Amino acid sequence: MSITQYNGGTILAMAGKNCVVIGSDKRLGVQNLTVSTEFQKIFPVTEKCYIGLPGLASDVQTLSELFRLKVNMYKLREEREIEPLTLANMISSTLYGRRFGPYFCEPIVAGLDKNNKPHIYGMDLIGCLNFPDDFTVAGCAEEALFGMCESLWEPDLEPDDLFETASQALLSAADRNSMVGWGAVIHTITPDRVITRTLKTRMVIYYISYI
Amino acid sequence: MNPVALYNHEPLTSAAKQHQFDPYEMNGGTSLVIKGSDFCVVASDTRQSVGFQINSRYAPKTFKLTDNAVITASGFSADSLALFKKLSQNLEWYKHAHDKVMSTPAIAQMLSNTLYYKRFFPYYSFCLVGGIDEQGRGVAYSYDPMGSYGPEPYKSVGSASTLIQPFLDNQARVGHQNQQIVQQSEISLESAISITKDAFTSASERDIYTGDFLEIFVIKQGGVTVERVDLRKD
C-alpha cells in the first residue's frame, strides 16, 4: 500500500454557478485501524477560499500550518487577501520545492475569486497543477469519486443543488471504501457566505434485505 | 579492468537467469448486471486491450446461454471464451440428457462448479450471470475466478467496477439510505437501461480499458434482446 493511503481519507471539490463546494470524509486511520472520526482535512484560507489536504496525516498537518504561515505573510506584505489561483501556485511551488523528498499529500484548492468566479484546482504530490472546470477528486476513494462525479455532475448548478450532488457523490464513494468514511464535511462557498454541513456516512451495521 | 567491459551491457556476474511461464493476461473491460422483478439487464463494453494497446474495438464478452440466461465476464479474454464454450457444451449435453433447458439458478451453480474445478489453475475471469428463474423472476449472480458466488441485486465487475459500483449503490438500490426521496418499489426496466447507459458513458470518460461499444442484453419472459450503444473510442 502506498504511503499516501496509509491514513485513509478522501476529498472532492465541485464548481457550480457562482459557487463551489469542497468536501471530505472525517476518518483518520492507521491502515485498517480507525484512530479518529473527527480528523480535519479541509482548512479555510480566506473567507472564500479553502484547501483540502488528503494524504499522510503528519504531512496534512505540517502543510496546513505551513500554508497558514505563507498566507498570513502574503496578506501582511500585499495588504490584500490571496486569490485562489495565486494560492494554488503557491502550494504548487511549495510542493515542487520538495521534488526529491515530497510531502505525501495531493492538495485541492476551491474558492471564489474577487469577481466571485468559481475556481477549483487539483495537484499531485510534487505540485503538478490541474485546472478543471467541473470537479476534482483526490485521496483513497479517488476512483469511486471519479465514477460518481462523472455521472452526477452537471454545469451551472445552484448552491443547494451543487451541495446535494457533491454529498451524494461523496457518500456513495465513501460507503464503498473501507479507508474512507465515519462522517463527512462539506463546505458550500457562495459570494455572501460559506455553509458548512456535516453528514453521516454508513456508521452502523444494518441488515440488508434487498436481495 | 578490461575497458571493453564498460560497454558490455551483460552483467559481469554470472547469476542464474530466471525464466518463468506466465499464461495470464489482463484484457480489461467492464461488465454489469441489474436485476428487476421480472427482467434482468446484462451489459458490457466491447473493447479488448493489453497495456496501452487496443487489440479490438469489438470483442464481445457477453453471451446468451439459453433463452433465460446470459453470461458476461471480464479479465482474461481467452479464458473467458474457453469458459463460455465449456458452459455451452455442458448445456447442450444437459439438454439431450434431460430433454429440457437448464434453469438459470442451475446454470449459476454449474458455473461455480466449473470454476472451482480449476481451483489451482483458475480461469482468470470475473463472471456475472443474469436472467430469469423458472417462476419468471429476475435473478443475478456474481463470481470470483475460483467459483465463489452469490446472488446480487446489481453488480459491476472489471476495470471500471470501482467507478460504477458506487454509482449503482446510488441509483439502482431500492430504498437507499443516503436519499430522502427513496425509490421503494423495484427498479423498472426503463430506468435499469438508462442507469446502465449512464454508468458506461461516465466510466469510459475516465477508464482507458472501457469504451468503443456497449452491448445491453435484456432477459425477459419472451426471450433475450440485444441493444448496441456507442461509447468513446479514444
Side-chain angles (χ1 to χ4, degrees):
Chain A
M1 201 205 296
S2 157
I3 194 71
T4 55
Q5 292 167 20
Y6 184 71
N7 297 118
T10 205
I11 290 179
L12 96 163
M14 276 183 180
K17 193 178 185 183
N18 296 323
C19 58
V20 287
V21 295
I22 180 166
S24 78
D25 69 317
K26 293 169 75 175
R27 181 180 180 269
L28 169 73
V30 176
Q31 298 189 30
N32 294 323
L33 174 69
T34 301
V35 173
S36 167
T37 60
E38 291 291 341
F39 188 71
Q40 189 183 6
K41 301 180 186 76
I42 297 177
F43 302 89
V45 177
T46 67
E47 282 187 354
K48 290 191 290 186
C49 190
Y50 282 63
I51 53 176
L53 302 169
L56 190 68
S58 58
D59 287 349
V60 168
Q61 292 180 333
T62 307
L63 284 174
S64 74
E65 289 301 303
L66 183 62
F67 296 144
R68 191 162 74 91
L69 171 86
K70 289 196 171 195
V71 166
N72 286 341
M73 292 305 286
Y74 180 96
K75 197 174 170 184
L76 289 171
R77 205 162 38 232
E78 302 274 331
E79 295 181 333
R80 64 190 169 98
E81 295 286 359
I82 196 166
E83 292 288 317
L85 181 60
T86 321
L87 177 69
N89 278 292
M90 190 209 81
I91 294 171
S92 170
S93 8
T94 308
L95 292 181
Y96 198 77
R98 288 277 180 272
R99 172 63 179 81
F100 296 110
Y103 291 110
F104 297 104
C105 182
E106 299 176 350
I108 284 176
V109 177
L112 301 174
D113 66 14
K114 57 179 183 289
N115 304 315
N116 292 324
K117 186 176 167 264
H119 290 261
I120 48 166
Y121 303 108
M123 66 197 90
D124 67 6
L125 77 170
I126 51 169
C128 175
L129 266 170
N130 230 335
F131 306 85
D133 45 28
D134 44 9
F135 54 81
T136 182
V137 301
C140 274
E142 185 180 59
E143 284 195 23
L145 279 170
F146 266 128
M148 289 309 299
C149 294
E150 196 63 63
S151 44
L152 297 190
W153 185 87
E154 48 190 277
D156 296 324
L157 287 168
E158 296 295 331
D160 285 352
D161 298 330
L162 189 67
F163 162 75
E164 186 63 29
T165 308
S167 303
Q168 291 296 332
L170 188 57
L171 292 186
S172 292
D175 289 350
R176 275 283 169 181
N177 193 312
S178 56
M179 302 290 285
V180 170
W182 281 102
V185 187
I186 296 196
H187 305 281
T188 311
I189 305 166
T190 65
D192 30 77
R193 63 194 184 122
V194 177
I195 308 152
T196 300
R197 296 180 178 95
T198 49
L199 308 172
K200 279 184 182 176
T201 54
R202 221 173 68 148
M203 299 189 207
V204 290
I205 296 166
Y206 61 95
Y207 292 96
I208 303 168
S209 58
Y210 53 82
I211 290 175
Chain B
M1 186 197 271
N2 178 6
V4 176
L6 292 171
Y7 300 96
N8 188 1
H9 294 287
E10 290 292 312
L12 294 170
T13 53
S14 57
K17 268 187 186 168
Q18 293 246 338
H19 289 277
Q20 64 167 3
F21 177 55
D22 182 9
Y24 288 118
E25 222 163 55
M26 178 38 123
N27 296 120
T30 310
S31 300
L32 170 157
V33 66
I34 301 174
K35 177 197 92 155
S37 57
D38 59 347
F39 68 87
C40 194
V41 173
V42 183
S44 64
D45 69 315
T46 65
R47 179 174 292 179
Q48 192 197 85
S49 338
V50 176
F52 293 127
Q53 182 81 20
I54 295 171
N55 286 336
S56 173
R57 297 199 185 278
Y58 187 69
K61 43 187 166 281
T62 308
F63 293 93
K64 182 180 151 180
L65 291 173
T66 68
D67 282 344
N68 298 325
V70 167
I71 186 167
T72 182
S74 64
F76 182 24
S77 296
D79 270 4
S80 301
L81 263 67
L83 178 64
F84 296 162
K85 197 169 188 178
K86 185 163 177 55
L87 288 176
S88 302
Q89 286 168 339
N90 287 347
L91 288 169
E92 194 69 18
W93 278 103
Y94 181 95
K95 195 163 79 185
H96 292 305
H98 299 98
D99 196 27
K100 67 173 183 181
V101 176
M102 195 187 283
S103 72
T104 307
I107 292 174
Q109 180 62 59
M110 186 182 72
L111 174 56
S112 174
N113 296 345
T114 311
L115 288 166
Y116 195 75
Y117 185 77
K118 278 171 69 62
R119 169 65 181 79
F120 297 108
F121 181 27
Y123 291 110
Y124 186 25
S125 296
F126 296 86
C127 294
L128 295 172
V129 169
I132 48 171
D133 64 13
E134 284 166 312
Q135 284 74 44
R137 294 181 298 232
V139 283
Y141 304 90
S142 78
Y143 298 79
D144 76 357
M146 282 87 88
S148 169
Y149 87 115
E152 304 276 359
Y154 52 83
K155 177 85 175 175
S156 165
V157 293
S159 57
S161 63
T162 43
L163 283 80
I164 292 179
Q165 194 64 42
F167 178 66
L168 294 179
D169 288 338
N170 197 258
Q171 297 291 312
R173 177 185 284 188
V174 176
H176 193 277
Q177 78 274 11
N178 287 336
Q179 289 172 27
Q180 289 181 318
I181 309 158
V182 289
Q183 189 187 352
Q184 292 296 356
S185 57
E186 284 240 40
I187 192 167
S188 72
L189 178 57
E190 290 70 32
S191 53
I193 291 172
S194 104
I195 288 166
T196 303
K197 287 176 181 172
D198 285 348
F200 275 90
T201 45
S202 300
S204 61
E205 292 281 326
R206 297 282 174 178
D207 179 26
I208 58 165
Y209 297 112
T210 301
D212 296 322
F213 299 101
L214 167 63
E215 276 190 336
I216 306 173
F217 285 63
V218 176
I219 306 99
K220 283 198 292 188
Q221 195 75 69
V224 181
T225 55
V226 193
E227 183 188 354
R228 195 150 85 218
V229 181
D230 276 312
L231 292 176
R232 282 182 80 99
K233 298 195 172 44
D234 59 354

